[in-house]
C-alpha cells in the first residue's frame, strides 16, 4: 500500500500565528445529545468518524459496511434546527463519513435509541414481523432511514417511502418485504406511478400538460391491480403496535436554545476548526488558505480512508447559517453555497412553483438531477459548494449550473468575486477559486418566459444512488422565428471536467430550430466536440459518445415538439416535411413497486409448528441492533488489530519487503509473514487442492494477495502501518481473461466431461447444426458484513479460540490448527451469525482466520481484523466468469438432437472450489430440456485474478444461462418462437438427464402452465408486440423461463450432518447443529423442526451458536442442503429423546409438559442429551463413467418477466416479474418466500447491473466498492413482483425433512428471465431498423451493452474503433 499523502499548510508562519490568535477564544468541547442523553467531549481523537466513536463506546448496532457512504449500513439520524427550512429536521446520515465535529449541538439517534426486543419501535417491529430482515447486517441502517422519514412525516407517501431508502442496500431480502413494512405507515392514494416530477409533482403533468408513456393516468393493464394491492397493504392495528408520532422521543429541549460556539480542537497531527459565522470562516481561510473546507465530508472522508490523504487542518462549515439561505429574486435565485442537497431539492421545487413551469425550467432540471444524486444520506449533508469545489467531471449538478449561466459568488476576507460558471472549471479537479476564498453563494438565472428551453439528462449503471456515466444540461433560447439566439450544451463524463460542446454551440447559433438540416449538422458538430479515443480513461468510449449524441437528439425533439403545434417539422422553403419524433422525448419512469405472495400455498401442509409462516427468529434483535456479529464482540484485554498488506501487482516477483518504516509509527507492534509459520508446508491451504499460500513468498500471482500483516494497538494505527510497508516488485506477464488463458493454454489440472449418446452422428444427421459462443461475467458476493475474525489464544495447552464470520467452521478449525502447529481438538471455532455469505465465506474466510491465528499465536494476544470493503473485494474472490463454445444439432420441428460444448470457467490464481463449480455447470447445461446426445467438457482457466470461489448457485446458473442462450439463438435461427422450442424439448416425468438421473416428482411443465395462465402470457405477448409497433425508441420484451436445480453436494463426503440436542430439567431445549445462520433462516427452521418433533412450543427451543466443540466435522453451510442435512440430524436426536421420554409420557399422561417429563426423567437418571446424525442416501455419481445418482432431488421453478428499454440510452426497467417455485412442503413459507425474492433479485443483479472491471494498466480490480460496483437497489426490483409456490400436488418420491425442498440457490437463476426479456426487447429494436441477424447478448446486460446492441444511426455514428496497439481502459473478465 502506498504511504499517505499529507496536505501541508501553505500559509506562512506569521499567518499561522494569526490563526492561533483568531481561535484563542474558541471552545474546545463537543456537546451533543446521544439517544436522549447529554454528551460532552473535551478530549477526542480529531481523526475519528462518528461511526468509529459510536462503536468504540459500545453502540455496535450501527454497522460498517463500506466506509464510503454507499451501502447505508452505518445510517444514524441526526436532528437539528435547520436554518434553511426554519424547523427541526431529522437527517439520515452515513456515520462512516460524518466527522465527529459535525454533531456538535445536535441530537444523534442510533438504532439502540429507538427500542429493544422487549419494547421495539413500530418501525423495528414491522420490518421484523414482515420478514424485512434476513442476515440483518444492513437492517439497523434501513430502520434508521425509515425512522428519519417518519420523524419528518408520520404519514409518508408511497413515493417518499421508496425514495427514503435510495441510500441503503440489502443483499438478502429482495427489498419487497422492507417496502411493505414501510408502506404500512403511509396513507393510500396519490400518483400510482410514484413519479415525483419536477413540475406539478406528478408524472401526468409535464411542461406541456401531457401524460407521458406509462403514466398511471393512461389505461394500463396493471394499474387497477396496483391500486388494489396498495389499498390492501394497509395493516390493521391489532397486528402491530400503533405508530403515534406524539409518543416519540422528543428533540432535547436544551438544544432548542443551544448557542453554537466556534470550536477548535485536535492534536499535533490534525486540528479541527468549526466557525459559526461567515466572518470567522473567512478569517480562518485568510490565515490558512490550505485548510480543508468540509461540508458533508462525503468525498474528503473517502480520500482519507482509501487514498491515504491526510489534512492537517480542516474547517467544518455546516453550522454557518449565512451559507444555508436562499432567496427568490425577479430574475434569479440565490442559494447559499452550503445549503444541503436535500434542502436544494425543496428549494428547486419551490422555485418552480414561484416562477412557474416555464421560467422555472432550470430549477426543474436541477430537481430532476437531484432525485438521482447519490442517496438520501449523502444529500442530507452534501452541498453544492462541495460539489463545485471538488470539480468532479461527472457531477450531476455542475452541468446545470454552467448551462444556466449561473454566477458563483466567491468571498475572501478582503473581497468578493463573481465567477461565471462557464469559467469556473479549468481542468481535472481544478477551478478558478482562489486559495483564500470560499464559495458563498450561487446565483441561478430564471429562464425567459417564452422561447427558452432547458433540460437535464443522466445515465448511470443503476438508476438510483449511482454516479453518472454521462450527464448533460442543455439550454437553448429561440427568437420569435425559432432561430437560435443562445445555446448551452454542457456535458459531464465526456472530458476531465464539465465541458461545453463548443463546436455544436457555434454551429447552432442563428439556425432555425425547425430546419431538418439542423439536427444533422448539430450531431456532426457534437461528434467533433467529443472525439473520444478507444482507450479513454473511464472506458466505454462508444457508449459515452452515443449518450452525448442521444441526449441532444432527445432535447432537439423535445424543443421541437414544444414549438410546433402541428407536430410537423417545417423545413424552410423545401417541400418535404418530417414528423416530430415524439417517442424519443419521454424517459422511462418507475411506478411505486408492489407485489403479492400466495400465502395459501402451504396451508394444507401446516402442522402444529412446521409449515407456519413464522418470522425469522433473530429478526427483531437485528432490527433493534442487539444481534451480535463478529466485529461486535467486545474488545479483549490486550487485543491487537491486524491490517493486511496486499500485493499491488497482478503477477510479479517480490524483490524486497521493507516493513521497518511501519515499525517507527506510533502504536505499531509487529510484522507477521510466512516466516512466522511453524514450517513452509503450513503456508499452503485450499480445498480440495492445497495450491494456495496464506502469505506470498517470492512471487505474487494476483493483485490483492496477502504478503503480510501489520499488528497495532488500534485499527487506524494498523492501517497506517500497512501503508508504510514498502514492497519492490519485478513485473511478470499476467493473464486475466478466459480467452487469454485459452490462447496460452493456462489451465488447472481438472478436466471432467459428461458424454451420453452418439453426438457426432446426431450432429451429422440433424437438419441444422448451429454453433455459438456464450459468455457470462462474474459477480461479487457483496455480503454486507465483510470478512471478519477475532482470535483469542488460551493460556493452556496451545488452545486457541476463533470467532470467524464463516460458513465453514471445520475448514477454519483445520487450517488454524495447521498454522498454529496444534491438533485440531485444540482449536475451537465458533460463530453466532454472519452478515451474509452466499458462498463467499465457505472457503475464503479461512485465509483471514489463519493469518490472524498466526499473529495471535506469535504474540499470545488476541488479534482482530475486519476487512475494509475494498480489501474484501480484492481478496475474497467472486462468482466464476464462464465462456462456452457450443454446437447444437436441431431438426426443422425444433427437436434438439445433440449438444457438443466446451465450457471454461475463470478460476483465478488458485483452484479453490473451481473444479466443483465447473462440474455443476456441466450437470446443469441441460436445464429443463431433453437432449438425447450430449458431450460437454469442462476446464478451469488459470489466470491472475483473485481466486474465484463458491457463490449461490455454484456454477448452476452459469450452466443454465448457457442453455437458455443457445435456446434463444437456435429459436431465432429457426425463426421459431422460443417458447415453442422450449415446450418441444421439455423434460417429461421419468425422463433421464444427460448424467443419467431419472426425473421424479417432475412439475416444471405444470409450473409453466400455471404461470402462463396467471400472467395471461399470450395476451401480454400480443400487447408487447403492439407496444413495439407504436414506439420507435421504447421497446418492451417478455420472457418465460424454467429451472431445475440439483440439491446435494457434488463432493459426496459433505452430504452428512450432526446435531446435539439437550433437554434441561426445566423443559427448555438447547439445539446445536452444524449449520451456520447467515440470514437464510436456518436456525429458525431447525428450531421449528425440533419443536415439532419434541412436542414443545418454538419459544421453548433455543439455538445459541454454531461451534466445533458441540458438533464436530461439520459440512459447510452451502448447496441449499443445510435444512435437509441438519434437520434430519436434529430429528434423529429428537427421536432418541422421545424414545427415552416415552415411559414418562405414558406415566404422566398426554397433557404432561416437557418440564414435567424432563424433571421426572432427570430424577430417574435418564440421559436428556442426544447426538443425532444423518447422511444422504442413494447418491454417488462417478465422473467419466456417467453412472450413479448425482443429486438427491431437484428444486424446480418458473418465472416470467416483462421489461421496457430506452434504446436511446440503454436505460431499462422491469415492469413485472412473477415467480412460481416447487419447494415441496415449505418448513416456513415466510423464510422461503424471502429466499425466493432475495435469490431472484441477486440473480437480476448478476444478469444486468453487476459488472466487474479490472484496470488494464495496473491489473487491479477497479470495481471494489458500492461506488463502482452496482448491486440492485430498492428501485431496481420489478415494479410488480409476485411470488407463489406450487400447491395441490403430491411429492411421492421426495424423502426430505417434512418433504421440503432446498430453496436458497434455485431461485437465483430465475433472475435471468429479466435478461432474456431485455434480449426480446432488443430484437424488436433491431427489427425497427431492418436488422434480423441473430443477437448474441452476453451477460450482464448493462445499459452499455443494451445500447450498443441497438443498430440505429446514432449508435453507429458514435462507434469508436481502436487504433493499432490501442487497448481498452478496463478489462471485463
Amino acid at each position: 500500500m502506498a504511504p499517505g499523502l499529507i496536505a501541508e499548510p501553505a500559509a506562512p508562519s506569521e499567518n499561522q500565528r494569526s490563526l492561533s490568535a483568531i481561535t484563542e477564544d474558541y471552545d474546545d468541547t463537543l456537546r451533543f445529545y446521544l439517544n436522549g442523553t447529554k454528551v460532552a467531549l473535551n478530549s477526542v481523537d480529531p481523526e475519528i468518524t462518528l461511526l468509529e466513536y459510536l462503536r468504540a463506546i459500545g453502540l455496535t448496532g450501527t454497522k460498517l459496511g463500506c466506509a464510503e457512504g454507499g451501502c447505508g449500513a452505518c445510517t444514524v439520524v441526526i436532528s437539528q434546527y435547520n436554518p434553511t427550512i426554519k424547523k427541526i429536521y431529522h437527517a439520515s446520515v452515513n456515520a462512516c463519513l460524518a466527522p465527529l465535529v459535525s454533531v456538535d449541538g445536535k441530537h444523534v439517534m442510533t438504532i439502540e435509541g429507538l427500542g429493544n426486543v422487549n419494547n421495539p419501535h413500530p418501525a423495528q417491529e414491522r420490518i421484523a414481523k414482515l420478514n424485512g430482515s434476513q442476515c440483518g447486517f444492513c437492517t439497523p441502517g434501513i430502520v434508521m432511514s425509515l425512522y428519519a422519514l417518519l420523524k419528518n412525516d408520520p404519514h409518508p407517501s408511497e413515493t417518499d417511502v421508496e425514495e427514503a431508502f435510495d441510500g441503503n442496500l440489502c443483499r438478502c431480502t429482495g427489498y419487497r418485504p422492507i417496502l411493505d413494512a414501510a408502506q404500512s405507515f403511509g396513507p393510500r392514494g396519490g400518483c400510482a406511478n410514484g413519479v415525483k416530477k419536477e413540475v406539478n409533482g406528478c408524472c401526468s403533468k409535464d411542461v406541456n400538460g401531457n401524460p407521458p408513456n406509462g403514466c398511471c393516468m393512461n389505461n394500463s393493464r396493471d394499474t387497477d391491480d396496483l391500486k388494489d394491492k396498495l389499498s390492501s397493504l394497509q395493516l390493521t392495528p391489532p397486528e402491530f403496535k400503533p405508530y403515534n408520532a406524539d409518543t416519540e422521543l422528543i428533540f432535547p429541549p436544551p438544544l432548542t436554545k443551544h448557542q453554537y460556539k466556534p470550536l477548535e480542537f485536535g492534536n499535533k497531527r490534525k486540528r479541527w476548526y468549526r466557525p459559526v459565522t461567515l466572518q470567522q470562516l473567512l478569517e480562518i481561510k485568510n490565515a490558512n488558505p490550505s485548510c480543508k473546507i468540509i461540508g458533508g465530508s462525503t468525498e474528503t472522508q473517502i480520500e482519507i480512508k482509501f487514498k491515504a490523504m491526510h489534512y492537517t487542518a480542516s474547517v467544518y462549515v455546516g453550522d454557518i447559517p449565512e451559507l444555508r439561505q436562499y432567496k427568490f429574486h425577479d430574475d434569479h435565485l440565490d442559494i447559499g453555497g452550503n445549503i444541503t442537497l436535500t434542502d436544494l431539492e425543496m428549494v428547486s421545487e419551490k422555485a418552480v412553483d414561484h416562477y412557474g413551469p416555464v421560467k422555472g425550467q432550470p430549477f426543474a432540471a436541477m430537481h430532476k438531477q437531484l432525485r438521482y444524486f447519490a442517496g438520501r444520506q449523502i444529500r442530507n449533508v452534501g452541498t453544492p459548494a462541495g460539489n463545485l469545489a471538488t470539480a468532479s467531471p461527472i457531477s450531476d449538478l455542475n452541468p446545470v449550473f454552467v448551462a444556466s449561466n449561473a454566477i458563483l459568488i466567491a468571498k475572501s476576507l478582503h473581497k468578493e468575486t463573481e465567477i461565471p460558471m462557464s469559467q469556473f472549471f479549468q481542468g481535472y479537479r481544478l477551478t478558478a477559486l482562489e486559495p483564500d476564498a470560499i464559495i458563498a453563494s450561487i446565483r441561478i438565472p430564471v429562464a425567459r418566459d417564452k422561447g427558452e428551453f432547458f433540460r437535464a439528462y443522466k445515465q448511470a449503471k443503476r438508476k438510483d444512488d449511482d454516479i453518472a456515466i454521462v450527464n448533460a444540461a442543455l439550454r437553448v433560447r429561440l427568437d420569435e422565428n425559432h432561430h437560435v439566439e443562445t445555446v448551452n450544451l454542457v456535458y459531464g463524463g465526456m472530458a476531465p471536467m464539465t465541458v461545453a460542446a463548443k463546436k455544436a454551440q457555434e454551429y447552432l447559433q442563428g439556425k432555425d430550430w425547425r430546419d431538418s438540416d439542423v439536427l444533422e449538422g448539430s450531431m456532426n458538430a457534437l461528434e467533433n466536440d467529443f472525439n473520444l479515443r478507444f482507450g479513454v480513461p473511464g472506458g466505454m468510449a462508444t457508449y459515452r459518445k452515443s449518450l452525448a449524441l442521444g441526449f441532444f437528439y432527445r432535447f432537439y425533439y423535445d424543443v421541437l415538439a414544444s414549438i410546433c403545434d402541428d407536430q410537423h417539422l417545417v423545413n424552410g422553403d423545401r417541400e418535404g416535411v418530417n414528423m416530430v419524433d415524439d417517442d424519443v422525448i419521454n424517459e422511462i419512469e418507475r411506478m411505486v413497486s408492489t407485489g403479492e405472495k400466495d400465502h395459501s400455498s402451504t396451508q394444507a401442509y401446516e402442522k402444529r409448528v412446521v409449515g407456519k409462516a413464522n418470522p425469522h427468529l433473530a429478526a427483531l434483535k437485528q432490527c433493534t441492533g442487539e444481534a451480535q456479529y463478529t466485529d461486535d464482540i467486545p474488545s479483549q484485554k490486550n487485543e491487537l488489530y491486524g491490517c493486511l498488506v496486499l500485493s499491488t501487482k497482478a503477477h510479479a516477483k517480490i524483490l524486497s519487503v521493507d516493513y521497518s518504516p511501519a515499525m517507527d509509527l506510533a502504536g505499531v507492534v509487529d510484522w507477521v509473514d510466512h516466516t512466522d509459520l511453524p514450517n513452509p508446508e503450513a503456508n499452503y491451504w485450499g480445498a480440495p487442492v492445497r495450491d494456495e499460500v496464506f502469505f506470498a513468498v517470492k512471487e505474487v500471482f494476483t493483485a490483492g494477495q496477502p504478503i503480510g500483516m501489520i499488528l497495532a494497538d488500534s485499527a487506524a494505527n494498523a492501517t497506517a502501518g500497512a501503508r508504510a510497508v514498502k514492497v519492490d516488485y519485478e513485473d511478470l506477464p499476467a493473464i486475466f481473461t478466459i480467452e487469454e488463458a485459452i490462447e496460452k493454454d493456462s489451465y488447472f489440472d481438472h478436466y471432467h466431461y459428461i458424454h451420453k449418446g452418439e453426438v457426432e452422428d446426431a450432429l451429422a444427421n440433424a437438419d441444422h447444426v448451429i454453433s455459438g459462443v456464450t459468455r457470462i461475467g462474474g459477480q461479487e458476493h457483496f455480503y454486507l458484513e465483510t470478512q471478519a475474525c477475532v482470535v483469542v489464544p488460551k493460556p493452556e495447552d496451545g488452545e486457541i479460540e476463533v470467532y470467524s464470520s464463516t460458513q465453514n467452521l471445520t475448514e477454519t478449525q483445520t487450517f488454524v490448527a495447521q498454522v498454529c502447529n496444534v491438533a485440531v481438538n485444540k482449536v475451537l471455532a465458533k460463530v453466532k451469525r454472519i452478515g451474509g455469505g452466499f458462498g463467499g465465506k465457505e472457503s475464503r474466510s479461512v485465509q483471514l482466520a489463519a493469518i490472524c491465528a498466526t499473529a495471535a499465536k506469535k504474540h499470545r494476544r488476541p488479534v482482530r481484523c475486519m476487512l475494509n470493503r475494498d480489501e474484501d473485494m480484492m481478496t475474497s474472490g467472486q462468482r466464476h466468469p464462464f465462456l462456452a463454445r457450443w454446437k447444437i444439432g436441431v431438426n426443422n420441428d425444433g427437436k434438439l438432437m445433440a449438444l457438443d460444448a466446451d465450457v471454461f470457467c475463470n478460476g483465478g490464481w488458485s483452484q479453490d472450489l473451481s473444479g466443483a463449480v465447473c462440474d455443476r455447470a456441466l450437470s446443469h447445461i441441460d436445464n429443463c430440456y431433453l437432449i438425447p446426445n450430449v458431450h460437454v467438457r469442462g476446464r478451469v482457466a488459470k489466470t491472475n485474478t483473485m481466486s474465484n470461489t463458491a457463490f449461490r448457485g455454484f456454477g448452476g446458473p452459469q450452466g443454465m444461462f448457457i442453455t437458455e442462450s443457445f435456446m434463444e439463438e437456435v429459436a431465432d435461427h429457426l425463426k421459431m418462437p422460443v417458447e415453442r422450442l422450449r415446450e418441444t424439448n421439455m423434460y417429461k416425468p421419468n425422463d433421464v438427464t444427460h448424467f443419467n438421473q431419472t426425473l421424479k416428482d417432475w412439475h416444471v411443465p405444470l409450473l409453466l402452465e400455471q404461470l402462463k395462465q396467471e400472467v395471461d402470457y399470450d395476451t401480454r405477448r400480443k400487447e408487447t408486440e403492439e407496444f413495439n409497433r407504436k414506439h420507435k425508441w421504447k421497446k418492451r420484451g417478455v420472457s418465460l423461463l424454467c429451472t431445475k436445480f440439483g440439491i446435494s453436494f457434488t463432493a459426496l463426503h459433505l452430504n452428512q450432518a450432526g446435531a446435539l440436542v439437550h433437554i434441561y430439567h426445566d423443559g427448555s431445549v438447547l439445539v446445536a447443529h452444524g449449520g451456520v445462520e447467515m440470514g437464510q433462516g436456518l436456525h429458525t427452521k431447525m428450531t421449528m423442526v425440533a419443536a415439532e418433533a419434541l412436542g414443545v412450543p418454538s419459544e421453548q427451543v433455543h439455538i445459541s451458536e454454531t461451534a466445533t466443540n458441540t458438533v464436530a466435522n461439520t459440512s459447510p453451510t452451502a448447496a441449499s442442503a443445510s435444512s435437509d442435512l441438519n434437520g434430519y440430524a436434529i430429528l434423529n436426536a429428537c427421536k432418541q429423546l422421545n424414545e427415552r421420554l416415552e415411559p414418562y409420557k405414558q406415566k404422566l399422561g398426554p397433557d404432561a409438559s416437557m418440564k414435567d417429563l424432563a424433571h421426572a426423567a432427570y430424577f430417574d437418571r435418564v440421559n436428556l442429551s442426544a447426538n443425532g446424525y444423518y447422511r444422504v442416501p442413494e447418491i454417488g455419481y462417478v465422473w467419466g463413467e456417467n453412472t450413479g445418482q448425482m443429486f438427491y432431488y431437484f428444486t424446480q421453478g418458473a418465472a416470467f418477466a416483462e421489461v421496457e428499454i430506452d434504446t436511446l440510452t440503454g436505460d431499462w426497467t422491469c415492469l413485472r416479474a412473477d415467480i412460481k417455485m416447487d419447494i415441496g412442503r415449505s418448513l416456513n413459507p415466510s423464510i422461503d418466500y424471502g429466499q425466493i425474492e432475495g435469490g431472484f433479485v441477486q440473480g437480476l443483479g448478476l444478469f444486468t447491473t453487476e459488472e466487474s472491471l479490472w484496470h488494464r494498466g495496473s491489473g487491479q480490480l477497479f470495481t471494489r466498492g458500492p461506488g463502482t460496483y452496482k448491486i440492485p437497489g430498492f428501485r431496481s426490483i420489478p415494479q410488480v413482483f409476485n411470488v407463489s409456490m406450487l400447491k395441490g400436488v403430491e411429492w411421492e418420491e421426495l424423502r426430505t425433512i417434512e418433504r421440503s425442498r432446498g430453496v436458497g440457490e434455485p431461485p437465483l437463476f430465475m433472475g435471468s428471465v429479466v435478461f432474456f426479456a431485455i434480449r426480446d426487447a432488443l430484437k424488436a429494436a433491431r427489427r425497427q431498423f431492418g436488422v434480423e441477424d441473430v443477437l448474441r447478448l452476453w451477460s450482464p446486460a448493462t445499459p452499455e451493452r443494451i445500447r450498443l446492441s441497438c443498430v440505429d444511426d446514432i449508435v453507429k455514428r458514435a462507434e469508436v474503433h481502436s487504433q493499432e496497439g490501442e487497448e481498452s481502459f478496463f478489462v471485463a473478465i
Side-chain angles (χ1 to χ4, degrees), residues 921-1121:
L922 297 183
S923 67
H924 284 67
I925 203 165
D926 60 333
N927 195 9
C928 298
Y929 312 114
L930 176 60
I931 310 175
N933 303 283
V934 174
H935 189 195
V936 290
R937 303 160 294 277
R939 299 296 303 270
V940 180
K942 185 176 184 179
T943 66
N944 295 109
T945 72
M946 75 284 284
S947 186
N948 290 320
T949 189
F951 197 143
R952 193 179 199 167
F954 203 76
Q958 293 99 315
M960 290 183 282
F961 178 75
I962 294 167
T963 314
E964 296 301 341
S965 293
F966 68 62
M967 292 295 282
E968 292 266 342
E969 293 190 29
V970 167
D972 290 348
H973 276 287
L974 298 178
K975 300 192 183 306
M976 173 187 294
V978 69
E979 299 88 349
R980 192 197 309 167
L981 183 68
R982 291 185 175 118
E983 185 177 338
T984 299
N985 294 282
M986 186 72 60
Y987 278 125
K988 297 178 177 60
N990 298 313
D991 274 348
V992 179
T993 68
H994 64 300
F995 49 91
N996 288 323
Q997 181 164 341
T998 302
L999 294 173
K1000 303 173 183 178
D1001 290 321
W1002 180 247
H1003 297 135
V1004 167
L1006 178 61
L1007 287 163
L1008 281 168
E1009 185 56 36
Q1010 289 185 2
L1011 192 60
K1012 283 182 72 172
Q1013 293 177 11
E1014 290 170 10
V1015 303
D1016 195 2
Y1017 180 80
D1018 292 337
T1019 301
R1020 286 188 178 275
R1021 166 61 76 182
K1022 291 176 183 176
E1023 290 177 348
T1024 296
E1025 292 170 355
E1026 181 63 23
F1027 179 92
N1028 291 338
R1029 277 193 291 271
K1030 293 179 178 178
H1031 295 82
K1032 179 180 178 182
W1033 296 100
K1034 307 290 188 308
K1035 298 295 179 184
R1036 290 186 178 177
V1038 295
S1039 182
L1040 184 66
L1041 288 183
C1042 53
T1043 187
K1044 69 167 174 54
F1045 190 89
I1047 304 295
S1048 289
F1049 285 98
T1050 49
L1052 184 62
H1053 69 281
L1054 296 179
N1055 293 285
Q1056 60 176 314
L1060 182 62
V1061 179
H1062 301 306
I1063 302 176
Y1064 293 92
H1065 59 76
D1066 67 347
S1068 63
V1069 179
L1070 180 65
V1071 174
H1073 62 87
V1076 174
E1077 176 57 58
M1078 50 188 176
Q1080 84 281 43
L1082 181 61
H1083 284 354
T1084 304
K1085 286 185 175 181
M1086 296 303 94
T1087 297
M1088 294 172 73
V1089 168
E1092 185 75 48
L1094 294 174
V1096 299
S1098 293
E1099 295 77 15
Q1100 216 164 310
V1101 181
H1102 179 61
I1103 297 175
S1104 175
E1105 63 185 3
T1106 308
T1108 54
N1109 64 344
T1110 53
V1111 179
N1113 307 317
T1114 59
S1115 296
T1117 304
S1120 303

Side-chain angles (χ1 to χ4, degrees), residues 84-104:
T84 307
I85 61 176
K86 306 296 191 290
K87 64 179 182 180
I88 303 297
Y89 180 72
H90 309 277
S92 54
V93 170
N94 294 120
C96 71
L97 299 180
L100 200 54
V101 67
S102 67
V103 303
D104 181 76

